Amino acid sequence: ARGKIKCTGKKQGNEKVPRTSATLGLPQLNGSEDTMGRTKLIIENRGRHTHFTWEQRLQLQYHHNGTNGYQKIRSPLVLGTLLGKHESTIRRELNRGMVEHLRSDLSTVWEYNAEHAQLDAKLKGGAKGPNLKLGHDWALVEEVTRLIRDKGYSPYAVIAEFNNTHWPSGTRICEKTLYNYIQEGYLGDLAEKDLLLGGKRRKAKGEPKRHSRAAAAAKSISKRPQEAEDRSEFGHWEADTVVGGTGSSPTCLLTLTERKTRFEITRRIDSRTTRAVKEELDVIERQIGPTFFRLLFRTVTGDNGGEFADIAGLEQSVRSLKQRLVLYFAHPYSSFERGTNENHNGIIRRFIPKGSDIADYSKRKVRTIQDWMNAYPRKILQGKTPSMALQAELGPELRLPKILEVKR
């Protein structure tokens, strides 16, 4: 009957022959034979498009030289099968790692050395990758060097400046690429020491301390409006004073930094006193007018220094009895609570180093520093300058007073 006929299964094409010591022509070991302390061969599948690892180079050395208890094998085909590499790959690797060894009888022998091959691969591998985007674009190199070294720009500020104005050539690079070029020394003698922070990293924040003065505790930063805390509203400032070196004149700087836009106001005052700070705030109010002053200064957060102790005097308008701002205090020894202002003070120190006498710097020089900071593209502002960010907050109907405009 037709249904009782049993058909043999179809044979698949060419069956794969397993790679064993028998099929490769290697000596066979019976179950009763001793391995003489040598490592048994383990045949692995051949890998494709993979580089030699350090472990594979050691295994190749042991097998090729017959050392460390490994069976001596000279056939590139067999070695390739053992290591999962092509025969041609094994030949190239052996040529890479061949070194001349001196025997005890002063005769020489050529053997594969894994360490030599690994070092050679590492050196040659460092030259791989695409060509530098800079190439011979000296116009871009010179402009990058000028902005970083002469104007104190960071790599991000350099890229932002090019995007805001124009690129000096047709080459385009990103911030990360520029950082890499500086670290690798591809921009001549320009190095990390020329960057804004000189390659240094900021310290971690500490724990805030308690206020020691009752007046400061009543005006603690913890009571500051949420809009000032999360920077959702402009008009909230941080304040500090920058003093000269020991033995210098009492002249110092009053620094005011707007939290949201990072706009900076830096004024030279004759002393680190409440009187001097109040008089300078009065000058600013007269220069921009009381209405604009109250719009611009909603709150000011200072440290616990004595120059901010006259709370009522600092808060009251010089033109009327109205309150012109609300003063708050950071916790003692907690400068990180005024991190934006502290960061700006560090930038000022690039122009006025510690130990300098502030009196040696004219008000015009201080204004130049202020203008530089307000015209500096900031990453946190998506490439905008603090001046651009503050003008955006004011809107098209209001313009910055001339006393606060950036002078190019």
Side-chain angles (χ1 to χ4, degrees):
R2 186 175 179 179
K4 294 182 180 180
I5 297 177
K6 294 183 178 180
C7 298
T8 58
K10 294 182 180 180
K11 293 184 178 180
Q12 303 296 330
N14 296 327
E15 295 183 358
K16 292 183 179 180
V17 179
R19 293 185 176 89
T20 63
S21 57
T23 60
L24 293 173
L26 298 176
Q28 298 292 297
L29 292 177
N30 297 327
S32 59
E33 289 180 325
D34 189 9
T35 62
M36 301 292 292
R38 297 185 181 275
T39 304
K40 288 187 178 182
L41 294 175
I42 300 176
I43 311 300
E44 299 178 353
N45 292 329
R46 181 178 301 175
R48 297 173 65 89
H49 311 299
T50 56
H51 294 285
F52 265 88
T53 64
W54 168 245
E55 291 75 14
Q56 289 175 329
R57 287 193 168 98
L58 278 179
Q59 191 175 358
L60 178 61
Q61 174 182 311
Y62 295 156
H63 274 306
H64 188 267
N65 301 338
T67 56
N68 286 52
Y70 281 74
Q71 181 178 346
K72 187 172 184 178
I73 303 173
R74 293 282 185 167
S75 169
L77 175 62
V78 179
L79 290 171
T81 305
L82 292 173
L83 297 174
K85 304 288 185 183
H86 193 275
E87 175 186 358
S88 299
T89 304
I90 297 296
R91 293 184 186 277
R92 289 192 296 270
E93 180 62 25
L94 290 174
N95 291 333
R96 179 202 294 273
M98 280 296 175
V99 296
E100 190 176 19
H101 290 280
L102 183 65
R103 292 175 171 173
S104 58
D105 59 358
L106 301 183
S107 62
T108 59
V109 60
W110 285 89
E111 291 183 334
Y112 176 80
N113 184 278
E115 186 174 357
H116 176 76
Q118 183 76 6
L119 179 61
D120 182 75
K122 183 177 181 180
L123 292 175
K124 292 180 178 178
K128 294 181 179 180
N131 295 328
L132 294 179
K133 290 184 178 180
L134 285 176
H136 298 289
D137 194 343
W138 301 116
L140 180 60
V141 173
E142 290 177 0
E143 187 62 13
V144 168
T145 302
R146 185 186 72 84
L147 290 176
I148 291 180
R149 180 166 292 161
D150 298 342
K151 298 193 68 175
Y153 277 27
S154 70
Y156 176 84
V158 170
I159 303 302
E161 177 69 12
F162 290 160
N163 290 332
N164 291 336
T165 55
H166 68 278
W167 285 77
S169 66
T171 306
R172 300 291 186 269
I173 57 176
C174 66
E175 176 194 2
K176 179 60 177 175
T177 300
L178 183 52
Y179 265 114
N180 291 339
Y181 285 175
I182 295 173
Q183 291 172 350
E184 296 296 332
Y186 294 149
L187 299 179
D189 58 348
L190 190 66
E192 282 188 290
K193 63 180 177 60
D194 297 309
L195 298 180
L196 194 61
L197 296 179
K200 297 179 181 179
R201 299 294 179 263
R202 293 185 176 90
K203 297 180 180 179
K205 297 179 180 179
E207 290 293 329
K209 309 296 182 181
R210 293 182 179 180
H211 289 286
S212 58
R213 293 187 292 117
K219 289 280 190 174
S220 173
I221 189 175
S222 59
K223 300 179 180 180
R224 191 170 58 178
Q226 183 62 32
E227 295 80 7
E229 190 68 28
D230 59 20
R231 304 176 193 259
S232 61
E233 179 184 63
F234 90 98
H236 302 281
W237 298 70
E238 297 172 0
D240 195 13
T241 49
V242 176
V243 299
T246 304
S248 61
S249 67
T251 305
C252 63
L253 298 178
L254 171 64
T255 62
L256 299 163
T257 310
E258 206 283 313
R259 283 177 54 80
K260 183 176 183 180
T261 64
R262 273 64 177 183
F263 193 84
E264 178 76 11
I265 297 178
T266 303
R267 296 295 183 92
R268 199 185 75 166
I269 56 179
D270 59 18
S271 62
R272 193 182 186 184
T273 61
T274 301
R275 174 196 57 79
V277 172
K278 180 183 182 305
E279 287 179 356
E280 195 58 40
L281 287 178
D282 294 344
V283 170
I284 297 174
E285 184 181 5
R286 291 190 184 99
Q287 289 174 336
I288 66 177
T291 302
F292 193 88
F293 187 96
R294 285 193 294 271
L295 172 65
L296 196 62
F297 291 90
R298 303 176 192 272
T299 68
V300 173
T301 302
D303 60 13
N304 283 261
E307 65 270 32
F308 300 112
D310 185 8
I311 299 175
L314 296 177
E315 290 186 338
Q316 183 176 331
S317 171
V318 70
R319 292 290 186 87
S320 66
L321 297 179
K322 293 182 179 179
Q323 187 177 31
R324 62 183 172 187
L325 58 85
V326 181
L327 189 63
Y328 293 97
F329 293 94
H331 292 95
Y333 310 105
S334 302
S335 59
F336 61 86
E337 292 182 332
R338 299 177 299 100
T340 304
N341 181 249
E342 288 292 327
N343 179 48
H344 280 215
N345 290 347
I347 296 176
I348 292 173
R349 285 300 188 186
R350 287 177 59 88
F351 301 93
I352 305 177
K354 285 186 177 181
S356 303
D357 190 342
I358 305 297
D360 294 338
Y361 297 85
S362 65
K363 290 187 177 181
R364 176 172 294 184
K365 176 61 177 179
V366 173
R367 176 60 187 269
T368 301
I369 298 172
Q370 172 185 301
D371 289 344
W372 183 93
M373 297 173 70
N374 289 330
Y376 183 73
R378 304 294 295 271
K379 185 174 184 178
I380 200 167
L381 300 176
Q382 291 74 49
K384 295 180 180 179
T385 67
S387 181
M388 295 166 59
L390 182 57
Q391 184 58 63
E393 291 293 332
L394 295 175
E397 65 280 358
L398 289 176
R399 299 294 301 175
L400 277 175
K402 289 186 178 182
I403 195 65
L404 298 180
E405 287 181 351
V406 174
K407 297 179 180 179
R408 290 282 186 174

